[in-house]
Amino acid sequence: MADALIIGGGAIGLASAWTLAKHGLAVTVLERDVGSVHAASRAAAGMLSAQLESHPSEAMAALCLRGRERHATFLPELAEATGADLEYRTVGALRVAFSDEDAANLIDLVEAQRARGWEARIVSSAEARDLEPSLSACHSGAFFPGEAVVEPNRVVDALVRACIERGVTLRTGVLAAQVLHAGGRATGVLLHNGDRLAAGHVIVAGGAWSASLEGTGIEGKLRPIRGQMLELRHARTPSRLVEGPGAYLSPRTDGRMLVGSTLEDVGFERAVTVGAATQLLNAAVRLLPHLAEATLAAHWCGFRPATRDGLPLLGATSTGALAATGHHRNGIVLSAITADIVTALVTGKSSPVELTPFAPGRVLPLG
Ligand SMILES: Cc1cc2nc3c(=O)[nH]c(=O)nc-3n(C[C@H](O)[C@H](O)[C@H](O)COP(=O)(O)OP(=O)(O)OC[C@H]3O[C@@H](n4cnc5c(N)ncnc54)[C@H](O)[C@@H]3O)c2cc1C
């Protein structure tokens, strides 16, 4: 019998599995399809960002910053354990304003962050172009030097390898149906094929699909938000994260850059659309005009797990069962800190983060 049975082999489930296994627990991960491009973790831009946008609450802002900082040790450790180049780089992020209104919003964002003691500054148009020489003429910008980037597909692949090396049982091609309970506590998982798997703890980390499981205590609390992403190739990629109205650019080290993303409430509709591509490309070229000559290499979509208050569901749902999902736009930056939270709760320690704002049982606004 596993000490911990994790439903979902995305960034959240795998980071949790690896961390639990490092603490000596016997862990099994149940994953329908570890290579799915529609799982959010494989679709993501890989921004380890806490500062580019405002958050729904102070608790969420602090969690994202903590998540970003946690990667400074988690990702190098993962790279060392697997020999993988995760393309983890603290490149900083430049958010660009083209109008007085954008600029006023950036001043508010930077002031709120500086009041928390975070590093952020407003830059003039000329300073913005010093930071990113390919940038078009703009009104002004905001610079966040601590923001980082990673290649999420490499992170997921490395986590799979690290988990296997640590003795985690990764069961792919299996679909969990229900968290089983007996005597008031979770006892395991029922699979769609009728098999029952017993476990000391069950962790629900199924991303946007978590809501379709029974017995989780979070039924109806998540919905998928589709995000479309483009991959461009050009000899000149930005040297940092760049965001402007309608798009962000997340650079890679090999001439690729990811342009994202849409936020679409369309259920699990797996289509990519001409409208989204047009909107993202126009916004990207407005930021960096030379991208008009870039090659359009790929276009995909993934499904973010979203709650109605924009905060994740983190914590116990019953004795022996935990939710670790609902990370919406922030699941890559929050993967390592979520793994720490899951591990603390499973091993009977106190969470490194105050979890009341993220309690799975909280009442969510009506959708
Ligand atoms: C376009 C896009 C861009 C993004 N960019 C960023 C970014 O730059 N930075 C950032 O921090 N976040 C980003 N995000 C958000 C981030 O990707 C997600 O929050 C995060 O990946 C969620 O991870 P997860 O493990 O919870 O879910 P997923 O990655 O979706 O994994 C869930 C897994 O569970 C499996 N599963 C589900 N149900 C079952 C079941 N019943 N039985 C077995 N297996 C099951 C699925 O097959 C899936 O593999 C982005 C998301 C999208 C879509």
Side-chain angles (χ1 to χ4, degrees), residues 96-98 125-126 128-129 133-140 286-289:
V96 177
F98 287 111
S125 170
R129 290 176 84 165
S134 304
L135 197 66
S136 59
C138 62
H139 180 294
S140 57
R286 186 181 185 202
L287 281 166
L288 301 177

Side-chain angles (χ1 to χ4, degrees), residues 146-209:
E147 301 278 77
V149 71
V150 74
E151 172 46 59
N153 273 287
R154 291 192 183 188
V155 172
V156 176
D157 289 341
L159 283 169
V160 167
R161 222 172 317 143
C163 279
I164 291 169
E165 276 164 20
R166 275 275 173 186
V168 171
T169 304
L170 187 55
R171 290 193 56 181
T172 56
V174 291
L175 190 57
Q178 186 183 344
V179 178
L180 297 169
H181 286 81
R185 65 161 297 140
T187 54
V189 171
L190 173 69
L191 302 184
H192 263 275
N193 67 7
D195 286 356
R196 288 167 176 262
L197 306 175
H201 291 83
V202 178
I203 295 115
V204 175
W209 297 270

Side-chain angles (χ1 to χ4, degrees), residues 201 314-316 322 340-351 355:
H201 291 83
L314 299 173
L322 300 179
D340 289 345
I341 293 168
V342 166
T343 302
L345 297 182
V346 168
T347 56
K349 306 213 171 64
S350 56
S351 164
L355 290 179

Side-chain angles (χ1 to χ4, degrees), residues 6 8 10-20 23 60 62-71 74 159 203-207 305 311-315 322-328 330-347 350-353 355 358:
I6 299 179
I12 300 295
L14 291 170
S16 300
W18 186 48
T19 308
L20 284 163
H23 280 73
M60 185 61 176
L63 183 68
C64 287
L65 193 79
R66 185 93 182 258
R68 189 188 79 191
E69 307 294 297
R70 178 65 180 92
H71 276 304
F74 184 91
L159 283 169
I203 295 115
V204 175
L311 308 180
L313 304 168
L314 299 173
L322 300 179
T325 186
H327 297 76
H328 196 214
N330 303 293
I332 303 300
V333 69
L334 293 178
S335 53
I337 189 72
T338 300
D340 289 345
I341 293 168
V342 166
T343 302
L345 297 182
V346 168
T347 56
S350 56
S351 164
V353 170
L355 290 179
F358 311 113

Side-chain angles (χ1 to χ4, degrees), residues 45-229:
M47 298 191 293
L48 302 177
S49 166
Q51 294 184 262
L52 269 171
E53 305 201 352
S54 50
H55 294 282
S57 70
E58 279 297 313
M60 185 61 176
L63 183 68
C64 287
L65 193 79
R66 185 93 182 258
R68 189 188 79 191
E69 307 294 297
R70 178 65 180 92
H71 276 304
T73 48
F74 184 91
L75 290 172
E77 201 185 321
L78 180 62
E80 199 186 320
T82 57
D85 174 7
L86 305 173
E87 294 196 37
Y88 171 50
R89 296 175 298 146
T90 300
V91 289
L94 179 64
R95 188 165 152 192
V96 177
F98 287 111
S99 66
D100 290 344
E101 191 187 341
D102 293 345
N105 289 336
L106 286 193
I107 290 170
D108 289 347
L109 185 67
V110 164
E111 280 179 357
Q113 295 190 9
R114 289 170 72 96
R116 295 182 197 127
W118 296 8
E119 212 181 337
R121 65 175 194 272
I122 293 293
V123 293
S124 66
S125 170
E127 286 167 319
R129 290 176 84 165
D130 283 346
L131 286 164
E132 195 51 65
S134 304
L135 197 66
S136 59
C138 62
H139 180 294
S140 57
F143 185 55
F144 309 99
E147 301 278 77
V149 71
V150 74
E151 172 46 59
N153 273 287
R154 291 192 183 188
V155 172
V156 176
D157 289 341
L159 283 169
V160 167
R161 222 172 317 143
C163 279
I164 291 169
E165 276 164 20
R166 275 275 173 186
V168 171
T169 304
L170 187 55
R171 290 193 56 181
T172 56
V174 291
L175 190 57
Q178 186 183 344
V179 178
L180 297 169
H181 286 81
R185 65 161 297 140
T187 54
V189 171
L190 173 69
L191 302 184
H192 263 275
N193 67 7
D195 286 356
R196 288 167 176 262
L197 306 175
H201 291 83
V202 178
I203 295 115
V204 175
W209 297 270
S210 302
S212 54
L213 286 156
E214 290 175 38
T216 59
I218 57 166
E219 292 87 345
K221 291 199 165 181
L222 285 174
R223 69 189 199 286
I225 295 294
R226 184 172 74 184
Q228 297 189 46
M229 182 76 69

